[in-house]
């Protein structure tokens, strides 16, 4: 894809604004946006790595805003992104529930330092438990609850009501730190025993009896109102920056932070299902996003940047 002159001008005009340099940057989703998924493997295409490298060299702030949990980001992408950034990487994780920095520790191991969080409140956990209970009662197949403690070192934990599904789930989700089966009461006790950032509920809800089809079953449970947009506001406000001075990049309806960024780069053809307040620059593939990053880097290069996050 070759950017049109109009598209290049849109980027250059936005990035060259003093407010962008003082209060903005790039906020980008990972999967499907800068990360390519092929045959079960995840990678950041060389074109995108080159573009990110130019942005980092020009001191443009880059914040990752992703559904992934911190340990997953560390294990999958830190070894690629940190050498490009050469400094702590700002991250909003778990659908806006937890944010902070990925950095390289003294022992040369990557770690996450939390800067803020919005964990589930007890009422939200009880709402999830009620939904799980109903799915179990209705004998919905392949029920599994994926949950993510605020203690990022615990990673991803998977619960299933079916003991015979434990080995299968462990094989299907090697990212999980622990897979177990228990009674629903034990699951409830575990969820209430510590702060939980997010729960993902897996189950074939189309198997529910007709009387339950209108119930608002969720896939992702965060504390009420928390999503990628609220997480974005919380983090950038904490940094003394403003979301509408950021360029946003994303690819799915979950990337709701795009609603309020000052410019939008949309990757792929999936409808966003929401309106954006800013112009949208569409790109067809993940690899083509690298071409957009190059004029961004050229426009935001400054001799005395105040871009440190």
């Amino acid at each position: 894809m070759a950017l049109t002159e109009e598209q290049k001008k849109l980027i250059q005009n936005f990035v060259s604004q003093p407010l962008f340099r003082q209060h903005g940057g790039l906020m980008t989703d990972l999967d499907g946006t800068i990360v390519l998924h092929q045959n079960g493997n995840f990678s950041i295409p060389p074109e995108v790595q080159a573009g990110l490298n130019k942005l980092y060299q020009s001191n443009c702030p880059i914040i990752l805003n992703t559904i992934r949990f911190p340990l997953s980001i560390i294990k999958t992408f830190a070894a690629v992104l940190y050498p490009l950034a050469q400094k702590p990487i700002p991250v909003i994780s778990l659908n806006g529930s937890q944010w902070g920095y990925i950095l390289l520790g003294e022992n040369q191991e990557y770690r996450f330092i939390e800067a803020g969080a919005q964990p589930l409140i007890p009422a939200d956990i009880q709402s999830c438990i009620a939904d799980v209970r109903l799915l179990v009662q209705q004998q919905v197949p392949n029920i599994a609850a994926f949950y993510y403690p605020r203690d990022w070192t615990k990673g991803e934990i998977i619960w299933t009501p079916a003991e015979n599904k434990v080995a299968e789930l462990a094989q299907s989700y090697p990212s999980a730190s622990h897979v177990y089966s228990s009674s629903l009461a034990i699951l409830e006790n575990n969820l209430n025993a510590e702060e939980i950032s997010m729960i993902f509920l897996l189950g074939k809800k189309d198997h529910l009896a007709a009387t339950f089809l209108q119930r608002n079953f969720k896939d992702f449970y965060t504390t009420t109102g928390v999503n990628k947009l609220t997480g974005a506001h919380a983090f950038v406000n904490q940094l003394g920056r403003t979301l509408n001075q950021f360029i946003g990049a994303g690819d799915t309806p979950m990337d709701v932070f795009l609603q309020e960024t000052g410019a939008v780069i949309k990757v792929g053809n999936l409808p966003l299902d929401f309106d954006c307040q800013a112009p949208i620059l569409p790109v067809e593939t993940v690899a083509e996003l690298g071409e957009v990053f190059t004029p961004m880097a050229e426009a935001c290069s400054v001799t005395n940047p105040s871009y440190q996050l």
Side-chain angles (χ1 to χ4, degrees), residues 27-38 41-45 48 52 64-68 76-77 228 248-255 257-258 265-272 281-290 293:
M27 181 174 291
T28 179
D29 171 54
L30 277 175
D31 295 274
T33 302
I34 66 170
V35 172
L36 189 63
H37 183 200
Q38 286 184 322
N41 297 314
F42 298 92
S43 64
I44 300 177
V48 176
L52 288 171
L64 307 180
N65 195 339
T66 176
I67 195 72
R68 285 180 180 258
T76 311
F77 304 116
K228 285 187 171 187
D251 70 309
T252 77
M254 290 197 71
D255 296 324
F257 65 94
L258 299 178
I265 306 169
K266 180 183 174 298
V267 181
N269 299 315
L270 189 67
L272 291 178
L281 192 162
V283 298
E284 293 183 3
T285 68
V286 172
E288 290 174 353
L289 192 58
F293 289 160

Side-chain angles (χ1 to χ4, degrees), residues 11-72:
I11 295 169
Q12 292 167 348
N13 286 348
F14 186 82
V15 176
S16 62
Q17 296 177 73
L19 285 176
F20 173 85
R21 297 181 176 183
Q22 295 169 10
H23 302 293
L26 169 68
M27 181 174 291
T28 179
D29 171 54
L30 277 175
D31 295 274
T33 302
I34 66 170
V35 172
L36 189 63
H37 183 200
Q38 286 184 322
N39 303 319
N41 297 314
F42 298 92
S43 64
I44 300 177
E47 300 91 338
V48 176
Q49 290 189 43
L52 288 171
N53 188 46
K54 291 176 182 177
L55 285 171
Y56 281 124
Q57 289 178 345
S58 68
N59 292 298
C60 177
I62 301 173
I63 300 177
L64 307 180
N65 195 339
T66 176
I67 195 72
R68 285 180 180 258
F69 54 104
L71 195 57
S72 171

Side-chain angles (χ1 to χ4, degrees), residues 14 73 141 214 308:
F14 186 82
I73 304 168
Q214 299 303 314
Q308 297 300 318

Side-chain angles (χ1 to χ4, degrees), residues 3-250:
L3 292 181
T4 66
E5 289 304 315
E6 183 178 355
Q7 289 172 327
K8 290 180 181 179
K9 187 175 181 180
L10 185 154
I11 295 169
Q12 292 167 348
N13 286 348
F14 186 82
V15 176
S16 62
Q17 296 177 73
L19 285 176
F20 173 85
R21 297 181 176 183
Q22 295 169 10
H23 302 293
L26 169 68
M27 181 174 291
T28 179
D29 171 54
L30 277 175
D31 295 274
T33 302
I34 66 170
V35 172
L36 189 63
H37 183 200
Q38 286 184 322
N39 303 319
N41 297 314
F42 298 92
S43 64
I44 300 177
E47 300 91 338
V48 176
Q49 290 189 43
L52 288 171
N53 188 46
K54 291 176 182 177
L55 285 171
Y56 281 124
Q57 289 178 345
S58 68
N59 292 298
C60 177
I62 301 173
I63 300 177
L64 307 180
N65 195 339
T66 176
I67 195 72
R68 285 180 180 258
F69 54 104
L71 195 57
S72 171
I73 304 168
I74 287 172
K75 289 182 176 181
T76 311
F77 304 116
V80 175
L81 292 174
Y82 196 87
L84 300 177
Q86 292 293 309
K87 56 188 174 185
I89 300 172
V91 171
I92 302 163
S93 68
L94 293 167
N95 203 25
S97 294
Q98 190 174 30
W99 56 91
Y101 299 88
I102 290 174
L103 50 82
L104 191 61
E106 294 179 359
N107 58 358
Q108 297 302 297
E109 291 185 356
Y110 293 107
R111 57 195 178 101
F112 175 74
I113 300 298
E114 182 187 292
Q118 303 176 104
L120 286 157
I121 62 174
D124 294 313
I125 290 177
Q126 290 308 307
S127 175
C128 179
I129 290 293
D131 287 347
V132 175
R133 179 177 293 109
L134 181 57
L135 296 178
V136 172
Q137 290 172 347
Q138 292 293 305
Q139 299 182 338
V140 170
N142 301 320
I143 302 168
F146 297 62
Y147 61 93
Y148 307 88
R150 183 174 179 178
D151 179 355
W152 69 272
T153 62
K154 295 184 177 181
E156 178 181 63
I157 302 172
I158 305 177
W159 171 89
T160 172
E163 178 67 37
N164 63 350
K165 292 289 185 180
V166 170
E168 179 184 330
L169 284 166
Q171 183 176 10
S172 298
Y173 299 97
S175 60
S177 301
H178 179 52
V179 182
Y180 73 103
S181 179
S182 73
S183 67
L184 189 56
I186 290 176
L187 171 64
E188 183 175 1
N189 288 338
N190 290 344
L191 292 176
N192 286 315
E194 61 182 319
E195 289 186 303
I196 303 296
S197 292
M198 189 183 79
I199 304 171
F200 170 65
L201 183 55
L202 180 68
K204 295 184 178 179
K205 304 176 185 67
D206 54 344
H207 283 66
L208 280 169
T211 52
F212 299 108
L213 288 179
Q214 299 303 314
R215 184 168 176 143
N216 184 26
F217 283 97
K218 299 179 182 178
D219 292 324
F220 296 95
Y221 293 77
T222 55
T223 202
T224 302
V226 167
N227 54 32
K228 285 187 171 187
L229 176 59
T230 63
H233 276 300
F235 198 12
V236 299
N237 291 346
Q238 187 175 317
L239 295 169
R241 294 178 178 269
T242 309
L243 187 58
N244 63 10
Q245 297 304 324
F246 276 76
I247 292 178

